[in-house]
Amino acid sequence: MGGPGCRGSGATFQCQRCAVAGVQGCCRAGSKSGRSLRICLFPLDIMSSGDDQQSQALAKPTFSEVQASALVESVFGLKVFKIQPLPSYDDQNFHVCISRTKDTTDGPTEYVLKISNTKSSKTPDLIEVQSHIIMFLRAAGFPTASVCRTKGDNITSLMSVDSGSEIKNYLVRLLTYLPGRPIAEIPISPQLLYEIGRLAAKLDKTLEKFHHPKLSSLHRENFIWNLKNVPLLEKYLYALGQNRNREIVKQIIQLFKDEVMSKLSHFRECINHGDLNDHNILIESSKSAFGDAVYQVSGILDFDDMSYGYYVFELAITIMYMMIESKNPIQVGGHVLAGFESIIPLTTVERSALFLLVCSRFCQSLVMAAYSCQLHPENEEYLMITAKTGWKHLQQMFDMGQKTVEEIWFETAKSYKSGIPCD
């Protein structure tokens, strides 16, 4: 898929909306290496919103480091010292280091610039709510980033890119950079899995108290990453080709329709982070009194998949992603379950759906990765991270069957109550 047409030195960034409305003075111009940029600083709340169905071709931003640097300086008023791209799924992220000035002597020096794809940029209310949730959780003691404000005192800025043939809109945000290494890079212990289960439950429970006038934007009915929308995967199955993987996914989708859909009304609803994966949880280590490495969560990233869901959804998603890097993937679920249930015990109905929900999340991740690789082959290495072990884990779970896997999970979780957790 092609970029937004902003690679050449002649591309201009212009606020088309303001030109139509006849508004003066809402845009600020800047330049970098001969490129002309005009950044819209109009407040977000005047923009329309809506949750479109999954588009067939998301326009992932493809800004150069020079253009991204100019954005930071023009929109947020920070002088960039160093900037480099970060891996991302369908948005574009940059690690930004700023130069100290007399006005920024006490603030952070490292940030993450987030440029949303064109589809996400059509839902400013949703992104605004997500940003406020990040701030709410940070105030509640969770290790989330701080959200930086623009020079116009907004938390998000809309930018329009005019390539001469079309205009595309992108929402831009700046967050503080969080320290730590992703869980994917460390050997994960049963105790850490337990703590991550607790973290997932505490996060959802804390969000029971979150209020915002635009909270309804989290009802994303056709959002492909919400677990209740597993049947929507059927229209992307062609990306898998004809093989056993495709047959397994088809069977799981049918089981989901037959056995999970009827249970949804019995699940307890909540706001889900929706993507507590092995790259979105950061860890820092310290030495224990015995000289061993002790890990603690130092950062929670990527709130872009947030939506209304159910407690059991958050648990299933977390279990699935913690399985990815594990040498004993089937055992993972019991440790995460034990941690989660130390905060929010599941009901009998929720427990009965957990196996299929974990399988379903594998299907979502693996099918959409294959589909996205067809759209963005240049991003294949990042998109296929889960697929490296994901298909093997899904096949193993499916071959073992629900009863066998549940026995392992539930016995492991039960062992924590006796004070002797299983390894």
Side-chain angles (χ1 to χ4, degrees):
M1 177 179 174
C6 58
R7 294 180 184 272
S9 61
T12 61
F13 295 69
Q14 191 169 19
C15 176
Q16 187 72 7
R17 207 165 24 81
C18 300
V20 172
V23 178
Q24 299 296 321
C26 75
C27 297
R28 303 178 188 273
S31 63
K32 191 85 169 179
S33 300
R35 292 169 172 81
S36 173
L37 299 100
R38 293 187 65 83
I39 313 302
C40 174
L41 299 179
F42 217 73
L44 261 179
D45 57 8
I46 72 159
M47 295 167 54
S48 62
S49 68
D51 202 3
D52 301 340
Q53 292 191 4
Q54 179 81 6
S55 65
Q56 289 300 305
L58 289 178
K60 180 175 179 175
T62 55
F63 291 96
S64 69
E65 294 172 22
V66 168
Q67 292 165 336
S69 178
L71 273 179
V72 173
E73 296 181 16
S74 297
V75 178
F76 299 96
L78 299 174
K79 181 69 176 176
V80 176
F81 169 70
K82 181 181 178 182
I83 189 166
Q84 60 187 40
L86 292 169
S88 60
Y89 195 86
D90 52 19
D91 297 322
Q92 194 174 20
N93 300 325
F94 291 89
H95 182 189
V96 180
C97 298
I98 67 162
S99 303
R100 287 290 194 194
T101 68
K102 63 180 181 180
D103 298 323
T104 60
T105 52
D106 297 327
T109 58
E110 294 184 80
Y111 297 86
V112 174
L113 174 68
K114 295 182 68 68
I115 305 174
S116 298
N117 64 68
T118 54
K119 179 177 182 291
S120 297
S121 296
K122 293 177 182 177
T123 58
D125 287 355
L126 174 63
I127 292 178
E128 180 181 341
V129 168
Q130 291 167 345
S131 298
H132 279 280
I133 284 175
I134 293 172
M135 294 187 283
F136 175 81
L137 289 173
R138 184 173 179 83
F142 288 85
T144 61
S146 294
V147 180
C148 307
R149 293 190 172 272
T150 68
K151 291 194 291 187
D153 200 32
N154 299 307
I155 58 175
T156 311
S157 181
L158 179 71
M159 188 185 68
S160 295
V161 178
D162 183 0
S163 63
S165 59
E166 61 179 326
I167 295 172
K168 292 182 178 179
N169 295 318
Y170 300 95
L171 282 172
V172 178
R173 289 175 286 171
L174 193 69
L175 308 176
T176 52
Y177 185 85
L178 295 174
R181 298 165 60 193
I183 282 182
E185 295 181 3
I186 65 168
I188 191 163
S189 66
Q191 185 59 34
L192 186 53
L193 290 170
Y194 178 88
E195 293 301 329
I196 289 167
R198 281 180 60 87
L199 176 70
K202 288 171 64 177
L203 191 151
D204 283 6
K205 194 165 186 64
T206 300
L207 289 177
E208 291 176 358
K209 301 175 184 177
F210 177 77
H211 300 286
H212 190 278
K214 299 172 183 175
L215 196 58
S216 61
S217 63
L218 291 178
H219 288 288
R220 306 168 72 177
E221 293 305 316
N222 294 303
F223 183 46
I224 194 66
W225 290 104
N226 191 304
L227 261 176
K228 70 179 179 182
N229 290 327
V230 166
L232 294 181
L233 291 176
E234 289 177 329
K235 61 183 177 181
Y236 302 103
L237 288 179
Y238 69 88
L240 299 179
Q242 296 291 341
N243 49 43
R244 185 179 181 232
N245 289 340
R246 180 170 178 163
E247 291 307 309
I248 290 176
V249 172
K250 287 173 67 176
Q251 290 181 59
I252 291 171
I253 292 174
Q254 190 58 52
L255 286 169
F256 187 95
K257 291 178 180 179
D258 295 340
E259 300 182 24
V260 176
M261 294 296 287
S262 61
K263 296 177 181 177
L264 290 177
S265 61
H266 299 286
F267 296 164
R268 291 165 296 168
E269 191 177 36
C270 67
I271 297 172
N272 289 151
H273 176 282
D275 197 17
L276 289 174
N277 68 44
D278 47 329
H279 289 268
N280 285 341
I281 300 176
L282 301 179
I283 299 293
E284 283 190 318
S285 65
S286 58
K287 292 287 186 181
S288 71
F290 302 101
D292 300 325
V294 177
Y295 294 101
Q296 61 182 16
V297 176
S298 61
I300 306 171
L301 307 178
D302 196 353
F303 288 76
D304 294 350
D305 283 357
M306 295 203 80
S307 64
Y308 270 107
Y310 306 92
Y311 288 116
V312 70
F313 280 11
E314 195 80 89
L315 173 59
I317 291 167
T318 306
I319 288 174
M320 176 254 150
Y321 283 120
M322 293 305 105
M323 289 175 67
I324 292 298
E325 304 293 338
S326 176
K327 294 179 180 178
N328 301 298
I330 299 300
Q331 280 70 36
V332 163
H335 301 293
V336 179
L337 172 62
F340 194 92
E341 288 200 310
S342 71
I343 305 294
I344 304 172
L346 296 187
T347 65
T348 301
V349 176
E350 289 167 341
R351 269 195 165 211
S352 70
L354 186 58
F355 172 84
L356 269 177
L357 289 172
V358 174
C359 289
S360 296
R361 182 55 170 204
F362 267 115
C363 292
Q364 284 182 316
S365 181
L366 295 166
V367 171
M368 295 312 295
Y371 167 72
S372 297
C373 275
Q374 293 189 353
L375 295 180
H376 304 292
E378 76 285 352
N379 201 29
E380 181 176 358
E381 182 178 355
Y382 180 79
L383 293 171
M384 298 303 286
I385 287 174
T386 299
K388 289 178 181 177
T389 57
W391 284 116
K392 180 177 66 176
H393 296 342
L394 177 60
Q395 289 171 6
Q396 183 182 9
M397 283 186 67
F398 195 72
D399 290 342
M400 290 177 67
Q402 179 169 348
K403 183 178 179 182
T404 302
V405 174
E406 282 183 346
E407 284 179 358
I408 295 171
W409 289 354
F410 296 163
E411 283 302 312
T412 300
K414 185 179 178 181
S415 72
Y416 277 82
K417 295 179 181 178
S418 65
I420 310 174
C422 301
D423 290 332

